[in-house]
């Protein structure tokens, strides 16, 4: 059966509400070797913020991206600038203790203030709006979680208010509100920051993929075209770090996908940003498209590569929108990928003790606007030799804790299972079984292949094996991609890389 979008006006491939503006900015690929003070890999919120901060402080910086700047997770977020991260503080207290949980809150609040002050000082027009953030529950189990989270807020001194109703157009059992948080248009904000970076002498190179890193005192990045970027400091802010070192980052990160609709509703959406404590989680906020209100409806998170019928994720959000918010029309729909760390706190700092000038930032747990900004501040301060109060909290080498250790074992077991499961699976279909705009693993001339049949019936075949560490890929029917269940690499139907850590495209088959 063809996918549902064929009967709607939505584009074939999911696209984000934030993305169209990125076309205004364009940068050339790197075409020669270059020496600078700092190299940043990955032009999302962390890479751009760190580049801006470093260049402003006189560190000559080059920022590279394998695709377009702002084309990754930052261009696909719900763009809430808040330290209310769903159900997190109760679990942080259990995992890392009260003191560190409070630091996490403060780091995210400091990041929120940084964004607001930067918008003001540079005069950026990015739909920045102060909003209260609500964690709400409609179910009894959600209600218990909201109450427990509120108790955690009280322990940590987080200023919040317990409520038995919200401005939402459907009833809730309970909610906790943190006042004066914010929302914005992330691509408008970061495009201006990028322009500021370039006008103060920074370099940006798009379509420049880093494939290797030389770990010497003056680390050099080698690009897919063979050019070298030599520097004193390297920051890898490309989401899943492409090199692993001995830091075992691959084993310490769990890739997760989530889904968002931007939709029109027949009645106005109220003020505020919302996230549910109920399962499945729903994330809500309003935004503007050409001066008119749209509502962002997010949720349906799952581990990357562990769900094939992802079209159903969009359908579930659509059903929620129709039933609860009087949704009339979907304007955009898209998905995004983020990584979770073992203890719920991002990694930002030197990748290992032996490599103090090679930094990573990753693992924002779906809260990249504040965590990503905080990570950029931590790393740029380290490069500038300044003490940052959250350096230890975010350190990739922080000592493990019990919860994290259990999670570590579970995750490696899951990854190993995915690897073995993929290798043993033998349920390959034939090419004729594939419908229009569908993909599947097939056998062609006795060889296994990943096949996609486009709406016109043209077939593309790739080798469905991840080029990172060899796990079998799974078809993702909502986003029309080949996804890796092991560490989250994703490839389009032609085998080109959509998400790392893979640095090589898939082999195309005839
Ligand atoms: Fe690591 Fe695919 S992303 S094996």
């Amino acid at each position: 059966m063809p996918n549902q979008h064929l009967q709607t006006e939505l584009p074939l491939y999911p696209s984000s509400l934030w993305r169209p503006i990125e076309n205004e900015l364009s940068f050339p690929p790197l075409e020669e070797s270059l020496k600078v003070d700092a190299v940043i890999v990955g032009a999302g919120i962390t890479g751009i913020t760190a580049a801006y901060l470093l260049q402003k402080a006189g560190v000559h910086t080059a920022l590279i991206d394998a695709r377009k700047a702002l084309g990754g997770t930052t261009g696909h977020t719900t763009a809430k600038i808040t330290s209310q991260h769903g159900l997190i503080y109760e679990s942080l207290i259990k995992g890392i203790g009260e003191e560190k949980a409070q630091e996490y809150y403060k780091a995210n609040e400091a990041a929120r203030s940084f964004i607001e002050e930067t918008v003001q000082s540079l005069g950026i027009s990015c739909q920045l709006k102060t909003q209260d953030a609500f964690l709400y529950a409609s179910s009894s189990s959600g209600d218990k979680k909201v109450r427990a989270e509120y108790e955690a807020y009280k322990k940590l001194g987080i200023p919040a208010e317990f409520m038995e109703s919200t401005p939402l157009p459907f009833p809730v059992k309970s909610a906790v509100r943190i006042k004066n948080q914010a929302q914005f248009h992330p691509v408008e904000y970061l495009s201006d920051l990028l322009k500021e970076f370039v006008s103060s002498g920074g370099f940006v190179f798009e379509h420049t993929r880093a494939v290797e890193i030389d770990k010497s005192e003056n680390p050099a990045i080698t690009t897919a075209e063979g050019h070298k970027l030599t520097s004193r400091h390297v920051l890898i802010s490309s989401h899943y770090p492409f090199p692993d070192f001995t830091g075992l980052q691959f084993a310490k990160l769990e890739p997760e996908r989530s889904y968002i609709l931007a939709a029109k509703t027949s009645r106005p959406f109220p003020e505020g940003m919302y996230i549910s404590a109920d399962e499945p989680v729903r994330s809500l906020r309003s935004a503007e498209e050409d001066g008119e209100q749209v509502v962002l409806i997010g949720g349906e998170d799952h581990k990357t590569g562990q769900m094939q019928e992802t079209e159903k994720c969009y359908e579930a959000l659509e059903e929620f929108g129709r039933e609860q918010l009087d949704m009339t029309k979907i304007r955009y729909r898209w998905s995004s990928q983020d990584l979770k760390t073992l203890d719920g706190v991002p990694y930002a700092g030197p990748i290992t003790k032996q490599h103090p000038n090679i930094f990573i930032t990753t693992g924002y747990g779906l809260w990249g606007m504040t965590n990503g900004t905080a990570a950029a501040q931590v790393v740029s301060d380290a490069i500038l030799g300044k003490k940052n109060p959250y350096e230890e909290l975010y350190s990739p080498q922080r000592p493990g804790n019990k919860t994290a250790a259990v999670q570590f074992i579970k995750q490696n077991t899951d990854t190993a299972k995915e690897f073995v499961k993929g290798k043993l699976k033998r349920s390959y279909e034939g090419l004729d079984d594939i419908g229009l705009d569908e993909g599947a693993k097939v056998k062609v001339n006795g060889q296994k292949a990943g096949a996609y049949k486009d709406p016109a019936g043209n077939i593309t075949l790739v080798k469905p094996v991840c080029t990172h560490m060899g796990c079998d890929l799974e078809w993702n029917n909502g986003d029309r991609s080949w996804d890796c269940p092991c560490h989250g690499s994703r490839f389009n139907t032609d085998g080109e890389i959509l998400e790392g850590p893979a640095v090589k495209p898939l082999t195309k088959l005839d």
Side-chain angles (χ1 to χ4, degrees), residues 476-494:
N476 168 342
N477 78 342
D479 297 320
R480 289 151 194 87
S481 59
W482 293 102
D483 296 359
C484 180
C486 289
H487 312 109
S489 289
R490 297 178 58 239
F491 305 84
N492 71 12
T493 51
D494 283 326

Side-chain angles (χ1 to χ4, degrees), residues 240 250 415 419 465-473 483-491 499-502:
Y240 215 128
F250 295 131
T415 304
F419 186 83
V465 177
C466 184
T467 54
H468 176 229
M469 288 183 179
C471 286
D472 275 20
L473 300 171
D483 296 359
C484 180
C486 289
H487 312 109
S489 289
R490 297 178 58 239
F491 305 84
E499 305 252 1

